[in-house]
PDB file of all heavy atoms in Angstrom:
ATOM      1  N   THR P  28       0.078   0.354  -3.238  1.00  0.00           N
ATOM      2  CA  THR P  28      -0.647  -0.818  -2.729  1.00  0.00           C
ATOM      3  C   THR P  28      -0.077  -2.063  -3.518  1.00  0.00           C
ATOM      4  O   THR P  28       0.191  -3.069  -2.861  1.00  0.00           O
ATOM      5  CB  THR P  28      -2.185  -0.776  -3.066  1.00  0.00           C
ATOM      6  OG1 THR P  28      -2.600   0.481  -2.241  1.00  0.00           O
ATOM      7  CG2 THR P  28      -2.952  -1.965  -2.540  1.00  0.00           C
ATOM      8  N   ASP P  29       0.096  -1.901  -4.776  1.00  0.00           N
ATOM      9  CA  ASP P  29       0.625  -3.087  -5.594  1.00  0.00           C
ATOM     10  C   ASP P  29       2.108  -3.303  -5.147  1.00  0.00           C
ATOM     11  O   ASP P  29       2.464  -4.525  -5.156  1.00  0.00           O
ATOM     12  CB  ASP P  29       0.611  -2.726  -7.084  1.00  0.00           C
ATOM     13  CG  ASP P  29      -0.801  -2.785  -7.694  1.00  0.00           C
ATOM     14  OD1 ASP P  29      -1.685  -3.302  -7.028  1.00  0.00           O
ATOM     15  OD2 ASP P  29      -0.953  -2.198  -8.817  1.00  0.00           O
ATOM     16  N   ALA P  30       2.848  -2.343  -4.753  1.00  0.00           N
ATOM     17  CA  ALA P  30       4.243  -2.537  -4.284  1.00  0.00           C
ATOM     18  C   ALA P  30       4.194  -3.419  -3.014  1.00  0.00           C
ATOM     19  O   ALA P  30       5.038  -4.363  -2.855  1.00  0.00           O
ATOM     20  CB  ALA P  30       4.880  -1.206  -3.977  1.00  0.00           C
ATOM     21  N   LEU P  31       3.272  -3.229  -2.150  1.00  0.00           N
ATOM     22  CA  LEU P  31       3.093  -3.991  -0.895  1.00  0.00           C
ATOM     23  C   LEU P  31       2.672  -5.460  -1.282  1.00  0.00           C
ATOM     24  O   LEU P  31       3.255  -6.449  -0.824  1.00  0.00           O
ATOM     25  CB  LEU P  31       2.082  -3.365  -0.055  1.00  0.00           C
ATOM     26  CG  LEU P  31       1.910  -4.010   1.353  1.00  0.00           C
ATOM     27  CD1 LEU P  31       3.134  -3.614   2.216  1.00  0.00           C
ATOM     28  CD2 LEU P  31       0.691  -3.399   2.040  1.00  0.00           C
ATOM     29  N   VAL P  32       1.762  -5.568  -2.269  1.00  0.00           N
ATOM     30  CA  VAL P  32       1.329  -6.887  -2.686  1.00  0.00           C
ATOM     31  C   VAL P  32       2.417  -7.674  -3.371  1.00  0.00           C
ATOM     32  O   VAL P  32       2.546  -8.871  -3.139  1.00  0.00           O
ATOM     33  CB  VAL P  32       0.120  -6.707  -3.615  1.00  0.00           C
ATOM     34  CG1 VAL P  32      -0.273  -8.041  -4.378  1.00  0.00           C
ATOM     35  CG2 VAL P  32      -1.066  -6.221  -2.891  1.00  0.00           C
ATOM     36  N   ARG P  33       3.371  -7.052  -4.018  1.00  0.00           N
ATOM     37  CA  ARG P  33       4.487  -7.715  -4.624  1.00  0.00           C
ATOM     38  C   ARG P  33       5.366  -8.387  -3.562  1.00  0.00           C
ATOM     39  O   ARG P  33       5.987  -9.459  -3.850  1.00  0.00           O
ATOM     40  CB  ARG P  33       5.348  -6.810  -5.485  1.00  0.00           C
ATOM     41  CG  ARG P  33       4.773  -6.459  -6.902  1.00  0.00           C
ATOM     42  CD  ARG P  33       5.801  -5.800  -7.833  1.00  0.00           C
ATOM     43  NE  ARG P  33       6.047  -4.539  -7.412  1.00  0.00           N
ATOM     44  CZ  ARG P  33       5.326  -3.431  -7.772  1.00  0.00           C
ATOM     45  NH1 ARG P  33       4.190  -3.591  -8.463  1.00  0.00           N
ATOM     46  NH2 ARG P  33       5.696  -2.217  -7.378  1.00  0.00           N
ATOM     47  N   VAL P  34       5.418  -7.873  -2.424  1.00  0.00           N
ATOM     48  CA  VAL P  34       6.211  -8.441  -1.325  1.00  0.00           C
ATOM     49  C   VAL P  34       5.451  -9.415  -0.502  1.00  0.00           C
ATOM     50  O   VAL P  34       5.966 -10.502  -0.166  1.00  0.00           O
ATOM     51  CB  VAL P  34       6.799  -7.352  -0.428  1.00  0.00           C
ATOM     52  CG1 VAL P  34       7.690  -7.903   0.706  1.00  0.00           C
ATOM     53  CG2 VAL P  34       7.700  -6.350  -1.335  1.00  0.00           C
ATOM     54  N   TYR P  35       4.204  -9.066  -0.129  1.00  0.00           N
ATOM     55  CA  TYR P  35       3.488  -9.872   0.835  1.00  0.00           C
ATOM     56  C   TYR P  35       2.332 -10.721   0.204  1.00  0.00           C
ATOM     57  O   TYR P  35       1.699 -11.503   0.947  1.00  0.00           O
ATOM     58  CB  TYR P  35       2.910  -9.010   1.880  1.00  0.00           C
ATOM     59  CG  TYR P  35       3.981  -8.482   2.829  1.00  0.00           C
ATOM     60  CD1 TYR P  35       4.276  -7.155   2.820  1.00  0.00           C
ATOM     61  CD2 TYR P  35       4.684  -9.370   3.651  1.00  0.00           C
ATOM     62  CE1 TYR P  35       5.228  -6.633   3.685  1.00  0.00           C
ATOM     63  CE2 TYR P  35       5.635  -8.867   4.543  1.00  0.00           C
ATOM     64  CZ  TYR P  35       5.915  -7.511   4.517  1.00  0.00           C
ATOM     65  OH  TYR P  35       6.955  -7.078   5.341  1.00  0.00           O
ATOM     66  N   GLY P  36       2.043 -10.569  -1.066  1.00  0.00           N
ATOM     67  CA  GLY P  36       0.972 -11.304  -1.658  1.00  0.00           C
ATOM     68  C   GLY P  36      -0.309 -10.516  -1.575  1.00  0.00           C
ATOM     69  O   GLY P  36      -0.489  -9.559  -0.992  1.00  0.00           O
ATOM     70  N   GLU P  37      -1.280 -11.078  -2.272  1.00  0.00           N
ATOM     71  CA  GLU P  37      -2.568 -10.421  -2.427  1.00  0.00           C
ATOM     72  C   GLU P  37      -3.293 -10.220  -1.180  1.00  0.00           C
ATOM     73  O   GLU P  37      -4.082  -9.260  -1.084  1.00  0.00           O
ATOM     74  CB  GLU P  37      -3.457 -11.292  -3.438  1.00  0.00           C
ATOM     75  CG  GLU P  37      -4.706 -10.622  -3.930  1.00  0.00           C
ATOM     76  CD  GLU P  37      -4.379  -9.344  -4.714  1.00  0.00           C
ATOM     77  OE1 GLU P  37      -3.396  -9.325  -5.587  1.00  0.00           O
ATOM     78  OE2 GLU P  37      -5.101  -8.392  -4.560  1.00  0.00           O
ATOM     79  N   ARG P  38      -3.071 -11.004  -0.113  1.00  0.00           N
ATOM     80  CA  ARG P  38      -3.672 -10.827   1.203  1.00  0.00           C
ATOM     81  C   ARG P  38      -3.417  -9.430   1.767  1.00  0.00           C
ATOM     82  O   ARG P  38      -4.228  -8.959   2.574  1.00  0.00           O
ATOM     83  CB  ARG P  38      -3.294 -11.943   2.188  1.00  0.00           C
ATOM     84  CG  ARG P  38      -1.801 -11.757   2.588  1.00  0.00           C
ATOM     85  CD  ARG P  38      -1.377 -12.986   3.479  1.00  0.00           C
ATOM     86  NE  ARG P  38      -0.086 -12.824   4.018  1.00  0.00           N
ATOM     87  CZ  ARG P  38       0.987 -13.125   3.307  1.00  0.00           C
ATOM     88  NH1 ARG P  38       0.953 -13.658   2.090  1.00  0.00           N
ATOM     89  NH2 ARG P  38       2.216 -12.969   3.878  1.00  0.00           N
ATOM     90  N   ALA P  39      -2.315  -8.752   1.352  1.00  0.00           N
ATOM     91  CA  ALA P  39      -1.963  -7.454   1.905  1.00  0.00           C
ATOM     92  C   ALA P  39      -2.781  -6.289   1.323  1.00  0.00           C
ATOM     93  O   ALA P  39      -2.860  -5.212   1.965  1.00  0.00           O
ATOM     94  CB  ALA P  39      -0.470  -7.234   1.688  1.00  0.00           C
ATOM     95  N   ARG P  40      -3.379  -6.517   0.181  1.00  0.00           N
ATOM     96  CA  ARG P  40      -4.074  -5.481  -0.527  1.00  0.00           C
ATOM     97  C   ARG P  40      -5.215  -4.867   0.334  1.00  0.00           C
ATOM     98  O   ARG P  40      -5.242  -3.597   0.429  1.00  0.00           O
ATOM     99  CB  ARG P  40      -4.734  -6.002  -1.827  1.00  0.00           C
ATOM    100  CG  ARG P  40      -5.406  -4.919  -2.673  1.00  0.00           C
ATOM    101  CD  ARG P  40      -5.868  -5.383  -3.988  1.00  0.00           C
ATOM    102  NE  ARG P  40      -4.873  -5.969  -4.794  1.00  0.00           N
ATOM    103  CZ  ARG P  40      -3.975  -5.299  -5.506  1.00  0.00           C
ATOM    104  NH1 ARG P  40      -3.960  -3.915  -5.426  1.00  0.00           N
ATOM    105  NH2 ARG P  40      -3.019  -5.836  -6.214  1.00  0.00           N
ATOM    106  N   ALA P  41      -6.013  -5.619   0.969  1.00  0.00           N
ATOM    107  CA  ALA P  41      -7.160  -5.037   1.721  1.00  0.00           C
ATOM    108  C   ALA P  41      -6.708  -4.297   2.987  1.00  0.00           C
ATOM    109  O   ALA P  41      -7.470  -3.526   3.524  1.00  0.00           O
ATOM    110  CB  ALA P  41      -8.020  -6.217   2.117  1.00  0.00           C
ATOM    111  N   MET P  42      -5.460  -4.579   3.396  1.00  0.00           N
ATOM    112  CA  MET P  42      -4.964  -3.921   4.633  1.00  0.00           C
ATOM    113  C   MET P  42      -4.229  -2.612   4.408  1.00  0.00           C
ATOM    114  O   MET P  42      -3.967  -1.892   5.265  1.00  0.00           O
ATOM    115  CB  MET P  42      -4.039  -4.891   5.409  1.00  0.00           C
ATOM    116  CG  MET P  42      -4.755  -6.103   5.944  1.00  0.00           C
ATOM    117  SD  MET P  42      -3.653  -7.225   6.760  1.00  0.00           S
ATOM    118  CE  MET P  42      -2.740  -7.922   5.463  1.00  0.00           C
ATOM    119  N   ALA P  43      -3.801  -2.393   3.100  1.00  0.00           N
ATOM    120  CA  ALA P  43      -2.972  -1.220   2.768  1.00  0.00           C
ATOM    121  C   ALA P  43      -3.754   0.089   2.893  1.00  0.00           C
ATOM    122  O   ALA P  43      -4.836   0.254   2.461  1.00  0.00           O
ATOM    123  CB  ALA P  43      -2.454  -1.330   1.388  1.00  0.00           C
ATOM    124  N   VAL P  44      -3.165   1.020   3.660  1.00  0.00           N
ATOM    125  CA  VAL P  44      -3.746   2.393   3.808  1.00  0.00           C
ATOM    126  C   VAL P  44      -2.592   3.294   3.237  1.00  0.00           C
ATOM    127  O   VAL P  44      -1.431   3.195   3.508  1.00  0.00           O
ATOM    128  CB  VAL P  44      -3.949   2.688   5.346  1.00  0.00           C
ATOM    129  CG1 VAL P  44      -4.341   4.156   5.456  1.00  0.00           C
ATOM    130  CG2 VAL P  44      -4.959   1.786   5.906  1.00  0.00           C
ATOM    131  N   VAL P  45      -3.051   4.255   2.356  1.00  0.00           N
ATOM    132  CA  VAL P  45      -2.148   5.250   1.744  1.00  0.00           C
ATOM    133  C   VAL P  45      -2.632   6.660   2.039  1.00  0.00           C
ATOM    134  O   VAL P  45      -3.884   6.964   1.704  1.00  0.00           O
ATOM    135  CB  VAL P  45      -2.071   4.974   0.243  1.00  0.00           C
ATOM    136  CG1 VAL P  45      -1.100   6.028  -0.432  1.00  0.00           C
ATOM    137  CG2 VAL P  45      -1.561   3.587  -0.101  1.00  0.00           C
ATOM    138  N   GLU P  46      -1.829   7.478   2.580  1.00  0.00           N
ATOM    139  CA  GLU P  46      -2.148   8.935   2.798  1.00  0.00           C
ATOM    140  C   GLU P  46      -1.138   9.724   1.961  1.00  0.00           C
ATOM    141  O   GLU P  46      -0.005   9.505   2.096  1.00  0.00           O
ATOM    142  CB  GLU P  46      -2.085   9.329   4.273  1.00  0.00           C
ATOM    143  CG  GLU P  46      -3.159   8.709   5.053  1.00  0.00           C
ATOM    144  CD  GLU P  46      -3.113   9.252   6.521  1.00  0.00           C
ATOM    145  OE1 GLU P  46      -2.059   8.912   7.177  1.00  0.00           O
ATOM    146  OE2 GLU P  46      -4.090   9.963   6.928  1.00  0.00           O
ATOM    147  N   LEU P  47      -1.658  10.682   1.235  1.00  0.00           N
ATOM    148  CA  LEU P  47      -0.778  11.555   0.478  1.00  0.00           C
ATOM    149  C   LEU P  47      -0.862  12.968   1.101  1.00  0.00           C
ATOM    150  O   LEU P  47      -1.975  13.565   1.260  1.00  0.00           O
ATOM    151  CB  LEU P  47      -1.224  11.609  -0.981  1.00  0.00           C
ATOM    152  CG  LEU P  47      -1.427  10.304  -1.726  1.00  0.00           C
ATOM    153  CD1 LEU P  47      -1.966  10.498  -3.086  1.00  0.00           C
ATOM    154  CD2 LEU P  47      -0.137   9.551  -1.746  1.00  0.00           C
ATOM    155  N   PHE P  48       0.252  13.508   1.391  1.00  0.00           N
ATOM    156  CA  PHE P  48       0.410  14.831   1.957  1.00  0.00           C
ATOM    157  C   PHE P  48       1.126  15.740   0.982  1.00  0.00           C
ATOM    158  O   PHE P  48       2.282  15.622   0.711  1.00  0.00           O
ATOM    159  CB  PHE P  48       1.150  14.847   3.290  1.00  0.00           C
ATOM    160  CG  PHE P  48       0.420  13.997   4.369  1.00  0.00           C
ATOM    161  CD1 PHE P  48       0.796  12.696   4.552  1.00  0.00           C
ATOM    162  CD2 PHE P  48      -0.514  14.581   5.145  1.00  0.00           C
ATOM    163  CE1 PHE P  48       0.146  11.953   5.466  1.00  0.00           C
ATOM    164  CE2 PHE P  48      -1.127  13.885   6.129  1.00  0.00           C
ATOM    165  CZ  PHE P  48      -0.850  12.478   6.310  1.00  0.00           C
ATOM    166  N   GLY P  49       0.388  16.776   0.418  1.00  0.00           N
ATOM    167  CA  GLY P  49       0.999  17.634  -0.518  1.00  0.00           C
ATOM    168  C   GLY P  49       1.544  18.909   0.192  1.00  0.00           C
ATOM    169  O   GLY P  49       0.896  19.504   1.080  1.00  0.00           O
ATOM    170  N   ILE P  50       2.797  19.181  -0.028  1.00  0.00           N
ATOM    171  CA  ILE P  50       3.492  20.275   0.515  1.00  0.00           C
ATOM    172  C   ILE P  50       3.941  21.229  -0.525  1.00  0.00           C
ATOM    173  O   ILE P  50       4.578  20.905  -1.537  1.00  0.00           O
ATOM    174  CB  ILE P  50       4.758  19.805   1.310  1.00  0.00           C
ATOM    175  CG1 ILE P  50       4.339  18.730   2.398  1.00  0.00           C
ATOM    176  CG2 ILE P  50       5.528  21.045   1.939  1.00  0.00           C
ATOM    177  CD1 ILE P  50       5.520  18.050   3.018  1.00  0.00           C
ATOM    178  N   PRO P  51       3.473  22.565  -0.462  1.00  0.00           N
ATOM    179  CA  PRO P  51       3.763  23.506  -1.488  1.00  0.00           C
ATOM    180  C   PRO P  51       5.364  23.588  -1.690  1.00  0.00           C
ATOM    181  O   PRO P  51       6.043  23.556  -0.708  1.00  0.00           O
ATOM    182  CB  PRO P  51       3.237  24.853  -1.012  1.00  0.00           C
ATOM    183  CG  PRO P  51       2.171  24.412  -0.059  1.00  0.00           C
ATOM    184  CD  PRO P  51       2.644  23.101   0.594  1.00  0.00           C
TER     185      PRO P  51
END
């Protein structure tokens, strides 16, 4: 989320969605 904010500014924080998929 912070990586996105570094490029687009703080306004991007509330829009960021992160999904983590663990693969054995």
Side-chain angles (χ1 to χ4, degrees):
T28 301
D29 287 347
L31 188 70
V32 168
R33 280 193 291 276
V34 176
Y35 290 113
E37 195 60 42
R38 69 185 185 276
R40 183 175 304 281
M42 296 181 282
V44 174
V45 179
E46 290 184 295
L47 306 177
F48 298 93
I50 302 170

